[in-house]
């Protein structure tokens, strides 16, 4: 994956983070998901007073892209204000796997650090019934 693409996605995720709705945790997260045609979809976390209804930035980005008709994705960037970059939660990993098991994931923080992973690294034993068999 091209370094320029990584930088572009990190910048998009950083901008998306500004729209986070996180009045309870004050933990703002931004995500940017690239479709196979190069289009980028942003997401930020959206919390709710009923905490279990909160949706992570990664899933907001994915659902926005799916609602726009996209089904195949190549990369995702995630930006947080943490000492070290953080990776997507387990729920997001599984939901991303549904559409893009070969996705690459770049986790970045506001300090300019980033780490690159593959989704298969992050979710080695995904739930996958392979109903096509
Ligand atoms: Zn998540």
């Amino acid at each position: 994956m091209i370094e320029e693409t990584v930088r572009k996605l990190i910048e998009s995720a950083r901008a998306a983070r500004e729209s986070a709705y996180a009045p309870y945790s004050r933990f703002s997260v931004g995500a940017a998901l690239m479709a196979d045609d190069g289009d980028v979809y942003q997401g930020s976390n959206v919390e709710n007073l009923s905490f279990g209804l909160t949706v992570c930035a990664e899933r907001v980005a994915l659902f926005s892209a799916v609602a726009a008709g996209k089904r195949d994705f190549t990369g995702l960037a995630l930006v947080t204000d943490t000492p070290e970059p953080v990776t997507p939660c387990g729920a997001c990993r599984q939901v991303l796997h549904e559409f893009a098991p070969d996705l690459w994931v770049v986790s970045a923080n506001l300090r300019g650090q980033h780490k690159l992973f593959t989704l298969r690294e992050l979710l080695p034993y995904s739930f996958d019934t392979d109903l096509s068999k």
Side-chain angles (χ1 to χ4, degrees):
M1 185 228 352
I2 304 167
E3 187 63 29
E4 184 181 326
T5 303
V6 170
R7 188 183 49 74
K8 176 184 170 184
L9 275 187
I10 289 174
E11 278 312 304
S12 183
R14 178 190 287 256
R17 184 180 168 277
E18 299 298 318
S19 301
Y21 177 74
Y24 308 109
S25 72
R26 306 225 177 265
F27 186 70
S28 296
V29 182
L33 178 66
M34 181 173 279
D36 61 347
D37 61 2
D39 286 351
V40 174
Y41 293 84
Q42 293 177 309
S44 59
N45 52 327
V46 181
E47 295 184 342
N48 189 269
L49 179 59
S50 179
F51 294 164
L53 302 180
T54 294
V55 180
C56 301
E58 302 92 309
R59 275 178 284 154
V60 170
L62 176 67
F63 295 165
S64 175
V66 171
K70 304 302 166 105
R71 294 293 185 272
D72 297 301
F73 307 97
T74 57
L76 173 103
L78 173 66
V79 172
T80 54
D81 185 10
T82 48
E84 296 288 328
V86 300
T87 54
C89 78
C92 286
R93 295 177 195 194
Q94 181 65 45
V95 173
L96 289 164
H97 178 273
E98 177 94 8
F99 291 91
D102 295 317
L103 192 74
W104 54 262
V105 176
V106 58
S107 295
N109 63 13
L110 294 181
R111 300 177 183 191
Q113 299 169 309
H114 71 268
K115 294 180 179 176
L116 188 62
F117 305 92
T118 64
L119 186 57
R120 289 187 192 279
E121 281 180 286
L122 297 175
L123 191 68
Y125 298 99
S126 62
F127 177 67
D128 187 354
T129 59
D130 198 357
L131 298 174
S132 64
K133 287 183 181 172

